[in-house]
Amino acid sequence: MWRQLHNRFGLPLTMAIVSLMGIWLIVMVLLPQWQMIDYSFHPALLPAERGGAKDVWSLTNYATFFRNEIHLAIFFKTIWSSVLVTTLTLIVSYPLAYYLAKVATPGQAALCLLLLIIPFWINEILRTFAWYIIFAFRGPLNELLLAVGLIDRPIRFLNGDTGVLVGMVYAYILFMVFPLYNAIESLDTNQIRAARDLGAGWGRTHRRIVIPHAKPGIATGCIMTFMLAAGSYAVPALLGSPGSRWFTQIIYNWFFEGGDWNQGAAYAFLLLVLCIVFVTVIMRIFKVGLGDIAK
Amino acid sequence: MDGRVNLSQVAMRFGDFTAIQPTSLEIASGEFFSFLGPSGCGKTTLLNMISGFLTPSEGLVAIGGVDMTRVPVNRRPTAMIFQNLALFPLMSVYRNIEFGLEVRGVDRKKRREKADELLDLVALGGSGDKPVAELSGGQKQRIAIARALAVEPRVLLLDEPLSALDLKLRQHMRTELKAIQRKTGITFIYITHDQGEALTMSDRVAVMCDGRIQQVADPMTLYRQPRTDFVAGFVGENNRFPGRVTAVDGGMVTLDAGLPAPLRGAAASPLEPGDEATLYVRPEQWRVGSASDSSLPFGGVIQAEHFEGAWLTLEIALEQGRTVRAHVPQALESDGVESSFKVGSACRLDYSPRGTLVLPGVERGQSDEEGADVAATA
């Protein structure tokens, strides 16, 4: 890589590019991460005690997590809910992406994309708050369902997980739609036509031709959606109930309510490990490499 | 069910644009039938209506005597070979060929037997486990044929499948396609803009222009007796002489086309003196001689010559400003007369009226275009 850059840009510019990249990687990525990991392996101490006899490496912060059944439960619930959010988003996005890529005329596709993107010009918290209003006990959704006659008393959407799931699917749909759209769009339409011509119904055409081709896109979308969901704070904070707490809320509490940064760092590090594991598993399942996803 | 295809009054409109004018046609079972025409003439639209990718705006499509107009593409007894072949790149050769059988619920063993049989037919036995990406252009072509034949279609539709191959391979595949068609007895419907392909392989050819079938005939008839000005110009080369009929004598017509001598030709349909008509003379029908040969009635100057291997094509400007194209056999070139066929030199020429053709009417648009060509070369 050095040689390529050198040939293209000459020595001074190459030095500049490489050192900027190095500084960015070290200062913005590696050092903060290292600091967080370092925090997580130390006990929380008063400023005066730092560097003293009590300032030793320990696994106490992690032990706290594994001994706390409630936190463990919330951790696994976060994983499970994020998987659910990812699956739901995939189910909602796939037909939409297929329509945009292969069915819609260019005009329809442009209009549809515009309608998808416009809400994203608004801050995530405000969009989430909009759902809070929609889902309210005396809110428009309940009014509508009552008026249509589907229910005879209002539902408390914000009590369970419904609000969080819907809010997240809505908040992260673009991160699923775009990778899927890119992948499906690159499929030669004649492949679909050939499968149909050879007698395949729509189900089989998707299973055997479109989905295998779109695999890298599906993997990318799932990874992004899962990470955003698992790391989400605003949506569970606004649309969740005490019963549907997210692991990020626990981390937040350690940092800003408990004032125990070291404990919070340990929890945050666990979440990071979880995400890395998830990415690895998904890449295994879909048999794609990092290169496919980066595309 | 046999492989007959009947189109009755099918038409296709996209908004205001009429892609196919109402068309009726019967293609016999086991026939090698081609649609020939320039791009945009509607031939692919017609093919898509037979395969089921498009539903005609009007009219009926029947295959084997059964109405298929509303039958979806995956339930028609047709198979298509796409212009880009559309092999499934993520599957092996076997899985490509077996796809249609898998869809039909044929068990694994039978599928493999059938695939091997087809691989032998296309002379690619033993390459079933290869990934598609490892095949050469010609091999991909054959796998596409095998994949389409695997579903035992009554009608095989081919959408310019040879256009991506190089010349030698293309000529070889023509022979091979024809042989496969004979062996299987399936109706082949072939789409092409290449008249060489259409004329060499087909039992019958439909020449299309602007969404309309101009003429349906066997290749020989198409070449010798084109029925419209478009066919006369599109199938093979032709020199046009628009003019007015001055005399009719049996099947022969004399035409005044503004040249020093009257032109004679065989009339394709009855004409009266005074009618507008066009004489078509093929390049190979000219006899070109030296400028001193006074037995030849027309004089001209050679504007350009193109070496074509077996013959030489001359562009000759007649004294009246009209340019004609004439083929001179290479044998003539080499026996000493050739010195007179040099660019810029004068020559005289004639044609034999017997093999020529006179069609009623004058295509003004076309002759204007020709005039412009002459201006450009001059």
Side-chain angles (χ1 to χ4, degrees):
Chain A
M1 192 185 80
W2 171 266
R3 183 174 298 271
Q4 267 181 339
L5 283 173
H6 189 267
N7 286 344
R8 188 175 296 180
F9 299 115
L11 186 64
L13 199 53
T14 306
M15 293 275 278
I17 291 171
V18 171
S19 44
L20 276 176
M21 247 166 55
I23 291 170
W24 180 76
L25 258 180
I26 292 166
V27 176
M28 310 291 278
V29 181
L30 292 178
L31 281 182
Q33 292 289 348
W34 173 250
Q35 172 133 41
M36 195 193 77
I37 293 169
D38 188 52
Y39 264 35
S40 76
F41 286 105
H42 283 94
L45 297 168
L46 296 169
E49 292 173 321
R50 289 213 185 117
K54 285 190 189 166
D55 199 355
V56 289
W57 284 65
S58 82
L59 290 169
T60 332
N61 293 328
Y62 292 92
T64 311
F65 169 73
F66 288 104
R67 275 196 217 105
N68 188 325
E69 272 172 34
I70 294 171
H71 288 176
L72 270 172
I74 292 175
F75 183 74
F76 287 116
K77 190 207 141 71
T78 303
I79 299 177
W80 163 242
S81 299
S82 299
V83 168
L84 203 61
V85 167
T86 309
T87 314
L88 283 175
T89 313
L90 179 61
I91 291 169
V92 173
S93 303
Y94 181 82
L96 186 60
Y98 182 80
Y99 167 80
L100 286 173
K102 291 293 168 198
V103 183
T105 64
Q108 291 168 331
L111 180 69
C112 202
L113 283 174
L114 194 69
L115 290 178
L116 274 173
I117 292 170
I118 285 178
F120 281 74
W121 294 347
I122 299 163
N123 181 288
E124 184 187 331
I125 295 176
L126 291 181
R127 275 183 291 133
T128 309
F129 200 73
W131 279 105
Y132 182 80
I133 296 168
I134 293 171
F135 278 139
F137 190 67
R138 299 231 168 264
L141 184 59
N142 270 324
E143 293 290 332
L144 183 74
L145 292 176
L146 283 169
V148 175
L150 278 171
I151 51 173
D152 44 17
R153 72 180 66 162
I155 299 171
R156 291 199 184 274
F157 291 108
L158 296 170
N159 236 0
D161 292 328
T162 325
V164 183
L165 291 182
V166 172
M168 284 204 187
V169 169
Y170 172 74
Y172 306 131
I173 192 162
L174 281 195
F175 296 92
M176 187 66 94
V177 167
F178 278 117
L180 278 181
Y181 169 77
N182 280 334
I184 297 174
E185 215 263 329
S186 70
L187 174 67
D188 170 19
T189 307
N190 273 353
Q191 300 260 324
I192 301 169
R193 289 161 51 105
R196 297 278 295 148
D197 186 60
L198 290 167
W202 279 116
R204 193 185 299 262
T205 305
H206 281 279
R207 220 162 51 240
R208 293 295 308 278
I209 308 296
V210 186
I211 293 175
H213 177 86
K215 245 170 36 179
I218 295 174
T220 311
C222 284
I223 287 170
M224 290 216 266
T225 309
F226 178 87
M227 302 225 279
L228 286 167
S232 174
Y233 180 78
V235 177
L238 274 171
L239 299 179
S241 60
S244 61
R245 282 223 286 177
W246 225 247
F247 195 63
T248 45
Q249 290 172 289
I250 310 287
I251 298 175
Y252 180 92
N253 285 350
W254 278 124
F255 273 98
F256 299 107
E257 318 254 314
D260 190 341
W261 282 40
N262 301 73
Q263 190 65 59
Y267 276 43
F269 186 58
L270 285 168
L271 188 63
L272 176 68
V273 171
L274 166 72
C275 286
I276 291 171
V277 168
F278 181 83
V279 171
T280 319
V281 169
I282 286 286
M283 287 195 330
R284 278 280 161 77
I285 292 176
F286 286 93
K287 295 196 186 72
V288 292
L290 270 179
D292 296 318
I293 291 169
K295 263 188 262 170
Chain B
M1 191 197 279
D2 59 30
R4 247 179 319 142
V5 176
N6 289 76
L7 305 178
S8 27
Q9 290 300 308
V10 291
M12 192 72 216
R13 279 179 259 284
F14 299 103
D16 287 342
F17 173 69
T18 305
I20 300 288
Q21 304 282 353
T23 299
S24 293
L25 182 68
E26 166 147 4
I27 298 169
S29 189
E31 192 172 13
F32 197 126
F33 192 94
S34 292
F35 287 102
L36 172 66
S39 51
C41 71
K43 55 192 193 301
T44 304
T45 309
L46 215 46
L47 193 77
N48 281 335
M49 292 197 293
I50 299 171
S51 65
F53 288 118
L54 285 175
T55 308
S57 319
E58 283 169 28
L60 297 176
V61 177
I63 299 169
V66 180
D67 180 14
M68 291 278 165
T69 317
R70 306 271 152 199
V71 176
V73 55
N74 56 333
R75 292 172 200 274
R76 292 200 186 193
T78 59
M80 176 122 136
I81 299 191
F82 292 84
Q83 189 164 11
N84 65 355
L85 305 181
L87 292 176
F88 305 131
L90 301 176
M91 302 182 199
S92 69
V93 167
Y94 269 140
R95 305 221 79 177
N96 264 281
I97 299 176
E98 289 170 12
F99 186 84
L101 300 171
E102 186 194 314
V103 169
R104 285 163 177 74
V106 177
D107 68 62
R108 192 177 292 266
K109 196 158 156 270
K110 285 228 183 73
R111 281 192 330 230
R112 192 47 57 94
E113 273 169 25
K114 180 84 187 168
D116 279 324
E117 194 181 298
L118 284 163
L119 280 173
D120 286 339
L121 178 76
V122 298
L124 275 177
S127 49
D129 288 317
K130 280 192 192 158
V132 168
E134 276 178 23
L135 303 175
S136 72
Q139 287 172 327
K140 281 186 185 151
Q141 188 76 56
R142 288 148 196 250
I143 298 305
I145 295 168
R147 183 179 72 175
L149 291 177
V151 300
E152 297 183 355
R154 305 274 174 249
V155 181
L156 190 70
L157 306 164
L158 302 100
D159 185 6
E160 309 207 19
L162 303 186
S163 54
L165 303 180
D166 62 64
L167 182 65
K168 271 271 176 272
L169 198 54
R170 201 154 65 214
Q171 286 173 340
H172 176 74
M173 286 306 295
R174 283 183 197 173
T175 322
E176 202 132 312
L177 274 177
K178 185 74 196 164
I180 290 172
Q181 195 260 339
R182 283 218 190 87
K183 240 186 270 179
T184 55
I186 295 171
T187 311
F188 272 40
I189 300 181
Y190 195 96
I191 295 286
T192 183
H193 62 260
D194 179 336
Q195 44 167 306
E197 282 177 14
L199 297 183
T200 49
M201 291 191 286
S202 318
D203 297 320
R204 284 194 304 157
V205 179
V207 180
M208 291 191 69
C209 174
D210 293 336
R212 221 184 279 275
I213 292 182
Q214 300 274 321
Q215 186 171 2
V216 183
D218 61 277
M220 187 86 88
T221 308
L222 215 52
Y223 190 79
R224 293 204 176 146
Q225 287 149 10
R227 273 216 318 257
T228 69
D229 179 73
F230 177 80
V231 178
F234 191 74
V235 181
E237 261 187 282
N238 248 321
N239 295 294
R240 280 192 184 82
F241 295 97
R244 204 168 279 283
V245 177
T246 55
V248 182
D249 156 30
M252 300 301 279
V253 181
T254 309
L255 207 66
D256 175 15
L259 294 174
L263 298 169
R264 275 164 58 77
S269 54
L271 284 165
E272 297 287 325
D275 287 350
E276 285 193 322
T278 306
L279 167 75
Y280 298 89
V281 182
R282 297 239 178 240
E284 66 270 22
Q285 287 168 331
W286 291 105
R287 201 148 42 83
V288 186
S290 65
S292 56
D293 189 347
S294 57
S295 71
L296 304 172
F298 307 101
V301 175
I302 296 172
Q303 302 248 303
E305 58 168 28
H306 308 283
F307 177 70
E308 314 240 15
W311 69 83
L312 194 67
T313 300
L314 300 177
E315 281 174 27
I316 302 168
L318 297 185
E319 280 150 6
Q320 283 64 34
R322 175 168 290 278
T323 299
V324 299
R325 289 166 72 84
H327 291 172
V328 184
Q330 281 295 293
L332 262 181
E333 257 289 85
S334 55
D335 69 2
V337 191
E338 92 267 28
S339 55
S340 56
F341 299 143
K342 284 289 164 256
V343 174
S345 67
C347 66
R348 293 195 75 77
L349 63 164
D350 194 9
Y351 67 92
S352 149
R354 202 156 297 280
T356 60
L357 184 77
V358 178
L359 291 177
V362 173
E363 286 285 330
R364 299 201 191 277
Q366 298 278 5
S367 31
D368 283 354
E369 216 171 282
E370 212 162 66
D373 281 351
V374 172
T377 36

